Amino acid sequence: MRIFSGIQPTGRKHLGNYIGAIRQYVEGQDRGDPAIYCVVDLHALTVPFDPHALREHVYDTAAMLLAAGLDTDRCILFRQSDVPEHTELTWLLSSVTAHGDLNRMHQFKEKTARQRELVSAGLFIYPILMAADILAYNAHEVPVGDDQRQHVELARDIAVRFNERFGETFVVPEVRIPEVGARIMDLQDPSSKMSTTSASPAGRVLVLDDPKTIEKKVKSAVTDSGSEVRRAPDKAGISNLISILSVVRGVEPEQVESEFDGQGYGAFKTAVAEAVVEYLAPVRERYEEIRPDEKALEKTLEKGAERAHAIAHPIVDDARRVMGVGPAA
Ligand code: ATP
Ligand code: LTN
């Protein structure tokens, strides 16, 4: 079972990223043959960015993944731009990707609506680069949060269309989305997902927030005016906190509901805050140790890229060959 996932280089990963994706990466290390994780710096070029900050954020994100428990003896961790096959395959796949399919992508529409200056062509073809990331490794499984489901489905469609047109070349990947925690909601606006770009910083718990900040954010989470700790469509805020506690404690949401039955929101929020603080504390501590050593991080990424390249190179070569690109083998 080959596992592949990508994560954007940002300095500020939040609890949604951690619960929806990073937690799954760590778990995937023992199932993956291998598990391959990529910091997608080229995807970050599709919206406004600062070149210096971009490089720093790659280190921030790599350090975060290592602090979360990725172990490069058990997985491959690398920077997307270090393996040129990703960009080459993007171009090859663009010939079997329908313009209309790209136009339907929710994330493209959302990000377009937010751009004040330039809606780049890169933003439009972002999902092809993501398909190339996955298909270049013939990955079977792609662990992501719920917001990436549509992109992985497009990657599947692209693989199927390519295979039909040029012969069996790519594995058609399956998405892997956690049962609980696939969509952690904003604490201030529980009708939208917790996101790096949302308006209110109070709505997102950052993995590196100190305990006091986490406590404050969780305790001021928006809830309904009732008092029952149970999941319901009209109780988005409480339902979200139940999901969070259930993941962080490793128990079923039902167990959380019965434990807090009749206890009111105050006691419940206190328990959620404590559990999240405890959950993130070791990650923050390890991050503080790992992040300063940029040379070591660079070395780790470089070694990861060598291993990634060894897998992607023959697969992308096959794609070229069946398409009639370059000399016959
Ligand atoms: P954000 O919107 O916060 O910037 P993103 O999806 O744009 O996140 P990444 O940092 O690359 O960018 O996301 C990493 C992973 O985190 C993806 O698999 C994504 O599905 C997942 N993820 C993002 N937000 C949430 C959330 N609120 N709940 C669960 N998973 C999430
Ligand atoms: N678009 C994804 C990041 C990403 C990815 C991938 C995820 C880029 N390439 C390949 C899975 C597989 C996001 O989270 N914003």
Side-chain angles (χ1 to χ4, degrees):
M1 161 78 62
R2 192 168 288 167
I3 297 176
F4 183 96
S5 196
I7 185 162
Q8 301 244 23
T10 48
R12 300 173 155 246
K13 291 295 163 203
H14 53 72
L15 189 62
N17 300 134
Y18 201 90
I19 288 180
I22 298 175
R23 174 176 64 107
Q24 295 200 84
Y25 301 172
V26 177
E27 178 268 333
Q29 293 183 106
D30 296 319
R31 285 183 307 111
D33 182 22
I36 308 168
Y37 303 116
C38 174
V39 182
V40 294
D41 57 341
L42 298 176
H43 276 105
L45 311 183
T46 59
V47 289
F49 68 98
D50 171 66
H52 175 71
L54 174 62
R55 194 167 286 123
E56 292 293 311
H57 289 164
V58 171
Y59 294 140
D60 296 341
T61 303
M64 168 72 58
L65 295 175
L66 294 168
L70 288 195
D71 166 4
T72 51
D73 287 333
R74 290 188 289 149
C75 73
I76 298 176
L77 173 64
F78 73 106
R79 170 172 45 209
Q80 186 183 36
S81 61
D82 288 344
V83 179
E85 276 72 8
H86 295 243
T87 40
E88 177 173 8
L89 186 57
T90 299
W91 186 255
L92 300 180
L93 296 180
S94 71
S95 70
V96 291
T97 308
H99 181 276
D101 286 348
L102 294 175
N103 248 333
R104 286 189 301 104
M105 295 291 119
H106 307 308
Q107 203 174 65
F108 173 65
K109 291 184 210 163
E110 287 156 19
K111 289 192 178 174
T112 300
R114 279 206 300 268
Q115 292 323 314
R116 301 237 174 75
E117 288 160 18
L118 173 79
V119 176
S120 69
L123 188 61
F124 187 64
I125 63 166
Y126 176 117
I128 313 183
L129 178 58
M130 177 160 160
D133 294 341
I134 300 167
L135 303 187
Y137 297 88
N138 271 336
H140 303 97
E141 191 178 287
V142 184
V144 284
D146 187 65
D147 61 314
Q148 295 300 315
R149 185 192 296 271
Q150 194 188 31
H151 285 158
V152 179
E153 270 163 20
L154 181 69
R156 286 172 59 84
D157 292 345
I158 292 175
V160 167
R161 203 169 302 137
F162 189 102
N163 289 347
E164 278 170 5
R165 169 83 174 80
F166 301 109
E168 283 302 313
T169 307
F170 293 118
V171 168
V172 181
E174 303 279 343
V175 71
R176 184 181 174 100
I177 293 180
E179 263 171 48
V180 182
R183 193 171 166 81
I184 297 297
M185 307 309 275
D186 188 291
L187 299 181
Q188 288 299 314
D189 169 17
S191 64
S192 340
K193 77 156 197 149
M194 190 179 282
S195 163
T196 319
T197 45
S198 60
S200 163
R204 57 180 170 265
V205 169
L206 300 180
V207 177
L208 299 177
D209 273 345
D210 60 68
K212 275 222 168 67
T213 309
I214 296 177
E215 200 184 314
K216 204 163 140 207
K217 287 177 180 172
V218 173
K219 288 194 175 165
S220 44
V222 168
T223 49
D224 55 279
S225 57
S227 62
E228 276 177 79
V229 179
R230 64 177 168 80
R231 288 162 298 164
D234 60 345
K235 293 167 79 72
I238 287 294
S239 304
N240 188 37
L241 294 177
I242 292 174
S243 301
I244 292 173
L245 188 56
S246 124
V247 168
V248 164
R249 281 204 185 156
V251 300
E252 295 301 318
E254 289 77 11
Q255 258 173 281
V256 172
E257 287 169 335
S258 57
E259 181 182 337
F260 290 92
D261 188 24
Q263 289 203 33
Y265 291 169
F268 175 57
K269 282 180 169 178
T270 303
V272 176
E274 276 173 14
V276 172
V277 166
E278 210 174 298
Y279 185 66
L280 296 179
V283 183
R284 197 174 87 239
E285 282 161 24
R286 281 196 295 268
Y287 180 88
E288 303 300 344
E289 286 166 26
I290 296 168
R291 177 61 182 85
D293 195 346
E294 292 190 354
K295 273 209 178 109
L297 287 168
E298 193 54 59
K299 191 101 211 134
T300 301
L301 292 172
E302 201 182 300
K303 281 197 187 140
E306 271 171 36
R307 294 169 66 199
H309 182 253
I311 300 174
H313 182 73
I315 296 171
V316 174
D317 236 26
D318 273 352
R320 286 165 59 102
R321 196 172 34 77
V322 297
M323 291 181 90
V325 172

